[in-house]
Amino acid sequence: MSKNNRNKAYKNGAKGQKNSRFGRLMMSLVILGVVVLLFINFALPMLKGSVKKAAAEKTVDILTENAVKVAGEDSQVAQILENMSEEDKEVVTEIVENHMDAESVTEVMGYVSEGDKDGLMRYAAENLTPEEIAKLAEMYGKYGE
């Protein structure tokens, strides 16, 4: 092989290696991008949902533990919160989960710690849907009698 042919072969070989390295880098970046998009679109909402559910359950547990504070002078409310079945606690947990964010949790827990029943009633009237209020009223009637 002549000197010119050797130079051409050397240059072509080096150029091919650079292209293949660049191609592998680009393919790796594309695969990484697809994995990140799949995580954002599928895994992240599932994680958020499970964390939100756990926080709602904890909030309902705190409310039932502090039933006397929430009820104030009305012993019937305390009795309802203490005697609630697991199915009804699940319904309350779902309602709490639907309206749960950092501001609302802080606001509601402030009402609970102060024993402000009127504040809780106002908050419920402003933020809950009529269907949710009807479910809560039904539970109140079920355990209140």
Side-chain angles (χ1 to χ4, degrees):
M1 191 167 2
S2 71
K3 190 173 182 180
N4 284 337
N5 287 338
R6 277 185 286 177
N7 285 339
K8 287 180 185 177
Y10 176 75
K11 288 179 182 176
N12 287 340
K15 189 175 183 181
Q17 284 180 348
K18 287 181 184 178
N19 285 340
S20 65
R21 287 181 189 161
F22 181 73
R24 280 185 274 170
L25 175 67
M26 290 305 294
M27 187 58 108
S28 298
L29 289 176
V30 167
I31 291 171
L32 180 64
V34 168
V35 169
V36 168
L37 285 175
L38 287 174
F39 178 78
I40 289 171
N41 288 332
F42 296 107
L44 202 57
M46 288 190 309
L47 288 173
K48 282 182 181 180
S50 63
V51 167
K52 199 173 186 181
K53 177 84 170 169
E57 288 174 355
K58 184 66 177 170
T59 302
V60 171
D61 289 343
I62 289 171
L63 286 174
T64 55
E65 288 171 7
N66 295 317
V68 175
K69 264 188 178 179
V70 172
E73 296 174 8
D74 192 356
S75 62
Q76 186 179 14
V77 174
Q79 184 181 16
I80 290 169
L81 288 173
E82 291 172 358
N83 295 331
M84 211 181 272
S85 71
E86 288 301 318
E87 294 84 22
D88 290 337
K89 283 184 182 179
E90 274 295 317
V91 171
V92 173
T93 301
E94 288 175 17
I95 291 171
V96 170
E97 185 180 354
N98 290 340
H99 298 281
M100 185 172 236
D101 60 14
E103 292 175 13
S104 63
V105 169
T106 305
E107 186 177 352
V108 169
M109 294 313 286
Y111 294 140
V112 170
S113 65
E114 294 170 5
D116 185 6
K117 189 169 99 174
D118 294 331
L120 282 172
M121 295 296 284
R122 246 189 340 271
Y123 179 83
E126 292 172 359
N127 294 303
L128 299 180
T129 65
E131 294 84 18
E132 292 168 335
I133 292 173
K135 284 181 187 177
L136 292 174
E138 178 184 329
M139 280 188 258
Y140 185 80
K142 179 178 169 182
Y143 293 104
E145 297 173 355

